[in-house]
Amino acid sequence: MDPLDFVTSLAHHAAELLRDRFDDLHDVVEKKPHDLVTEADRASEAAIVAAVRASFPAAAILGEEGGVYSGTSDERFIVDPLDGTTNYAHRYPLFCVSIAYERAGVLEAAAIEAPLMGMRFAARRGAGATLNGQPIRVSTTAAVRSALVCTGFNPANYDRNGQYFAAMSRRAQGVRRDGSAALDLALVAAGRFDGFWEWDLKPWDIAAGALLIEEAGGSVTAIDGSPLDLAGGSVAASNGHLHNELCTALLES
């Protein structure tokens, strides 16, 4: 089975599950301050895990809500069944499903679907990235002063992150905080945002979006400019043209 066809189909089915439950009264649990999980997260991940284990029984799985399996092959699926849970719980439409396929430690295929935005992103290593089946490229914005950039952070950690938000607000044309890192990364790939940064992320927040940006011609690194480590926590993403300026501005903040 082709991994890209599989993850795009799987992301679509999980996104439709979330769409069907969007207006329900959700069972919301706070895992830690400002970090929520709903019954929809768990149902989406359960459906994804079941499908992966049926079609790729030897693959490892890393899922946000506990769907973790070690596997016996060099394949791994990295799954965020609902990125933007707080948005979803409040019926704010910026949320998505994010699934990446990795082989021998290399991201090979990715899908991100935002059902209420009508956006289906996909990427295959070496073959480019698409939005709703059409090729996408990062923006051509050359400098942070002309850029629309995005970030995210846990409100409980605002004292740490507020300084960076303020510094970039002074430098950039605009700064947004939308509450879904995976979708923000996808929007960098599509040229809607020129850059993105965030600390304290997990592999499932980053993996699919990172491949989308690379295949759309952009740059993804750690915030200090070093090579991206999915388990490293920090990410800086951009169209490439303003990447060094973005990282330098953040490190100087």
Side-chain angles (χ1 to χ4, degrees):
M1 182 177 299
D2 178 73
L4 180 58
D5 289 345
F6 180 73
V7 296
T8 53
S9 175
L10 192 52
H12 179 65
H13 287 300
E16 288 301 296
L17 181 155
L18 297 177
R19 182 202 293 272
D20 290 344
R21 296 178 180 222
F22 183 67
D23 286 318
D24 292 354
L25 180 63
H26 296 294
D27 178 16
V28 181
V29 175
E30 192 172 54
K31 295 186 287 186
K32 57 184 180 181
H34 303 284
D35 185 6
L36 309 183
V37 62
T38 71
E39 84 296 338
D41 297 72
R42 296 190 178 105
S44 175
E45 183 162 293
I48 293 168
V49 168
V52 170
R53 288 177 63 79
S55 297
F56 292 81
I61 303 171
L62 178 61
E64 180 177 11
E65 304 308 334
V68 178
Y69 298 88
S70 58
T72 57
S73 73
D74 64 353
E75 298 174 296
R76 182 169 72 152
F77 289 84
I78 305 172
V79 176
D80 195 333
L82 171 48
D83 189 52
T85 299
T86 300
N87 290 347
Y88 187 83
H90 289 271
R91 297 190 298 165
Y92 182 61
L94 289 174
F95 65 90
C96 66
V97 176
S98 175
I99 307 175
Y101 169 80
E102 183 184 74
R103 186 169 59 239
V106 177
L107 293 169
E108 297 287 353
I112 292 176
E113 181 154 351
L116 296 189
M117 305 300 290
M119 291 179 161
R120 300 180 68 182
F121 296 90
R124 187 197 303 273
R125 179 163 298 281
T130 61
L131 168 56
N132 297 338
Q134 299 301 309
I136 54 175
R137 297 291 295 177
V138 293
S139 72
T140 59
T141 304
V144 170
R145 69 176 180 275
S146 302
L148 179 64
V149 299
C150 191
T151 188
F153 48 84
N154 186 321
N157 295 329
Y158 183 78
D159 287 345
R160 175 192 176 195
N161 292 283
Q163 61 180 318
Y164 303 107
F165 193 97
M168 293 307 300
S169 295
R170 288 190 290 269
R171 290 174 179 256
Q173 198 164 78
V175 182
R176 301 290 180 264
R177 177 180 175 272
D178 287 338
S180 172
L183 183 54
D184 292 338
L185 290 166
L187 292 170
V188 173
R192 312 295 177 86
F193 288 131
D194 303 301
F196 170 81
W197 84 92
E198 188 165 349
W199 275 266
D200 305 320
L201 292 175
K202 301 296 184 182
W204 48 78
D205 298 310
I206 303 170
L211 183 59
L212 281 165
I213 291 171
E214 290 175 0
E215 290 300 315
S219 299
V220 188
T221 66
I223 285 176
D224 65 5
S226 62
L228 180 67
D229 176 0
L230 293 181
S234 84
V235 62
S238 77
N239 60 14
H241 304 293
L242 51 74
H243 199 82
N244 289 340
E245 183 187 359
L246 177 69
C247 291
T248 299
L250 291 167
L251 294 173
E252 290 176 350
S253 299

